[in-house]
Structure formats: C-alpha cells, structure tokens
Amino acid sequence: MGKDAYITIAERMNRNPMRVPRVEGEFTPSFLEYLKLVYTPEEAEVVRHLDVLPAFVTFEQVAEATGLSVEEVGRRIDSAHKKNALVGMGTMFCLPPIPVLLNLHHFYSDLREDDLKAITLYRDFFVDKGYGRYYETSEAGSPVFRTIPVEEAIRCGEKVMTSEEAHSFVASLSTEDFVLVPCPCRTRAEKAGDRECRDKFPIGSCIMIGFTALHFESIGLGKRVTREQALSYMDEMIRLGLVPNTENVEKESSTICLCCECCCSQVRGRTRWDNPESISPSNFVPRATDDCVMCGQCLERCFFGALSLDEDTGKAVADPKACIGCGVCTFACEAGALKLERFERSTPFASTGKMLQAFQAENTP
C-alpha cells in the first residue's frame, strides 16, 4: 500500500497552483520520502482521498471510499491534523497548503523525532533539486510574496495606497484573528546548527492571519495577539533589521513574515539562488537628501547590496533593480536623510483567488 498511497497523495497535492517537487516530470524521490515522514501508512490510506484547498472532504466521503468506519476515518484524520499535516473544520478536511506542509517540522522550537531527517530531505528537493523557485514564483515569474514597508520609512507627502504600507494594510484586514508562530525558516536553520544570523536576529515569529491563525491556534501552536500587538511586534522586528513580506495580493493576506537574508525561503531567492523575481518589490525606493553624511550605516542594513555611496553627489544611492523597497535601511540613518520615495514598478494581485488562478495557468501540470 505504502508507496502507491504516497504517490496518490503527491498527485493530489500537485493540483495546487504551486505544484509539488518534481524532476523531469517525476515526483522527486526525496519529496515522497518526506511525505512518509509526515503521514504514517494508516494515515496515508485515508489522506490519499482528500483534496487541496478549498475542496474539503467529509469523514463520510472518505469512509465510503475506503470501506473504513466513520469513527476510524476520524481517528486517523485527527492524528494527522494534530501534527499540522491537514487543514480542517469539524468533520471536513483537506490537504495542507504547500508552505504549511514543507515547514510543519519547524513551527515549534524544540527538536523532535524526524526533524533533522526532514531538513535533509527538504534540502534535497527544495535547494538541490530546485523546487525553491516554484515556491517563490510561478514558471512565468509571478512572485508569491511582496514587500510591505512601514509608514515610518516613507517620506512625508508621498502617495501611499492602503495595500502598500504595512500598518494600513493590517488595519484594513477584516479579521481580528492574529497568531504569532515561530518562524519556520530560522527555526529550521537553528535546528540544523547553521543559522548564519544567530548573532543578529532572534528566531522570532511569523504573523498568521484569519483562517490561518485559527488553524494554528486549533492545534496548539503559536500565541494569539491583538491587531495592535501584531503591529507592535512587526515594528520591533523591522527596527532590528528584518524585512516585512506578505502574499502578493492587495488584501486579506494570511501571513506576514519578518525575513532575514540567510534563512528565508523567499528572500534567499534574491540573496542566494539567483531568482530576482522571488520577492515582488514595493513601489518605493530609498533616496537621500543633502543631509546625508555618507556614514554608510544604511549599506550595512541592506540584505541585497542595493545601496552605495556616491562620491560625486555626496549621498547614498539605491539601485532600483536590486532594491525591494522594504525601508529597513532608513532606520539606520541617524541624520534622517534617507526615506522611501515613490517608484512605480509592481502591482499585486487583486485577491488570493486571482493570484492562484494566475499560478494555475502559469505552472505546467
């Protein structure tokens, strides 16, 4: 049963717009091994009958497909759900989103059985076999994530849309559900013993929003916070030097990540893996006034090498091709000379549904 069930699960997961790890059209062997870490054989027997979001399947439907009792189906699904390996409501469940699936061993800080093996398998299919590019962008280059600078980094008087600035974006969200969950990217690196930013940044948290927040809360992961506390935490991390990113949509995001250059699965596309489309930049770039003292502190804050000191103008200048417009550099300017100014270059998708439709069309089956 084993292998066939896991291949079936991979086939069903491959219906999601981001697809799953493959090499020359075949499922990457390390990914199939990863699925075996996630689901026991008896769990896989029922999970293979589930579908991807938003297609929820009931216990009764799975029982009919498997010949098992509804109670036994519920027991096996509940077992997988408690491990963060399924998403569900009541007696209706579906397969997890790809970001949850690939990070589920690292939404908690303690080192548990199979965590290190999961890291080895992840590095094979995600890094060595190149799935990271699909995690970051579609085949056509549409980014999954975008940068959202905070208002404090933007020069007074600049035109700012609600969806563009982090505080206004969070304030406009219709939900009151916010949960802080340990950052899986820095947690993974910490567990592996090779986190390069250990002396600069805490592991910290991602801000889960809406249904995603409720999901993590339902399985006992994360800390519930108010909207104001989420904003305060985000500001604190940005001042430390972490970059705020969210889904590449105008509204109703499910996650805000505070990213470093060495661990983040999205940002590393730009900093390590030669995928400049991995983060959609904001419509701002930093520009210095004549008050710039050429101290170079802003250069040290930029993950992307986008800033340089121009001896001719006597100012720090940004390369818009390298800069993502996060504004983190501006917090290093004691003279207050460096702020973000308008620079039109990107448009997020109108909604998550629109983004997923685009990815479905842009990624081959």
Side-chain angles (χ1 to χ4, degrees), residues 37 104-105 108 110-118 191:
L37 284 187
L104 62 84
H105 294 87
Y108 48 84
D110 55 310
L111 185 63
R112 302 179 187 176
E113 184 180 4
D114 292 333
D115 285 1
L116 295 181
K117 185 175 181 180
K191 289 179 179 180

Side-chain angles (χ1 to χ4, degrees), residues 108-282:
Y108 48 84
S109 58
D110 55 310
L111 185 63
R112 302 179 187 176
E113 184 180 4
D114 292 333
D115 285 1
L116 295 181
K117 185 175 181 180
I119 291 171
T120 298
L121 295 171
Y122 165 90
R123 286 178 172 173
D124 181 76
F125 65 71
F126 195 95
V127 182
D128 298 341
K129 301 297 191 305
Y131 177 71
R133 185 171 291 264
Y134 282 88
Y135 190 85
E136 296 159 355
T137 64
S138 71
E139 287 186 359
S142 295
V144 174
F145 262 36
R146 68 183 178 95
T147 297
I148 45 170
V150 295
E151 185 177 18
E152 189 176 345
I154 300 172
R155 195 175 303 283
C156 181
E158 291 293 320
K159 175 186 175 184
V160 183
M161 306 297 289
T162 298
S163 63
E164 294 178 313
E165 186 273 314
H167 282 204
S168 296
F169 177 73
V170 173
S172 70
L173 294 169
S174 60
T175 183
E176 293 296 331
D177 297 310
F178 299 90
V179 170
L180 299 183
V181 176
C183 167
C185 297
R186 284 191 292 279
T187 299
R188 179 186 292 108
E190 184 75 15
K191 289 179 179 180
D194 57 7
R195 183 161 75 92
E196 298 175 27
C197 62
R198 183 180 293 110
D199 295 332
K200 293 174 60 178
F201 305 124
I203 289 176
S205 299
C206 297
I207 303 170
M208 302 300 178
I209 302 166
F211 178 78
T212 303
L214 293 174
H215 164 71
F216 278 93
E217 189 176 43
S218 74
I219 57 174
L221 289 177
K223 174 187 175 183
R224 173 171 280 271
V225 294
T226 65
R227 189 187 306 265
E228 292 72 24
Q229 288 171 325
L231 284 168
S232 177
Y233 175 77
M234 180 177 66
D235 287 347
E236 177 187 352
M237 293 299 104
I238 291 169
R239 288 190 177 91
L240 286 178
L242 295 173
V243 173
N245 294 298
T246 189
E247 287 104 326
N248 190 18
V249 297
E250 287 186 0
K251 55 185 178 180
E252 302 309 318
S253 171
S254 66
T255 310
I256 294 176
C257 294
L258 289 310
C259 305
C260 63
E261 66 176 307
C262 52
C263 304
C264 175
S265 299
Q266 305 290 345
V267 171
R268 276 190 295 176
R270 277 183 172 256
T271 62
R272 304 295 172 89
W273 298 330
D274 192 28
N275 184 17
E277 303 300 325
S278 65
I279 298 285
S280 182
S282 77

Side-chain angles (χ1 to χ4, degrees), residues 27-96:
F27 296 122
T28 311
S30 54
F31 176 66
L32 294 176
E33 288 300 312
Y34 180 80
L35 290 180
K36 292 177 184 179
L37 284 187
V38 174
Y39 304 109
T40 66
E42 71 167 14
E43 290 168 353
E45 187 177 354
V46 297
V47 169
R48 64 178 175 175
H49 296 284
L50 301 182
D51 212 332
V52 297
L53 276 168
F56 287 89
V57 178
T58 67
F59 287 180
E60 289 77 12
Q61 289 172 308
V62 176
E64 183 176 353
T66 61
L68 298 170
S69 69
V70 171
E71 292 73 21
E72 179 61 18
V73 167
R75 184 186 70 81
R76 298 187 190 190
I77 286 181
D78 184 60
S79 173
H81 179 234
K82 287 179 178 177
K83 296 185 295 186
N84 202 14
L86 294 175
V87 173
M89 300 182 296
T91 62
M92 299 175 61
F93 284 82
C94 65
L95 296 170

Side-chain angles (χ1 to χ4, degrees), residues 274-300:
D274 192 28
N275 184 17
E277 303 300 325
S278 65
I279 298 285
S280 182
S282 77
N283 286 317
F284 300 90
V285 294
R287 289 196 175 94
T289 65
D290 292 339
D291 293 327
C292 177
V293 297
M294 298 274 280
C295 67
Q297 293 298 308
C298 56
L299 277 65
E300 296 181 13

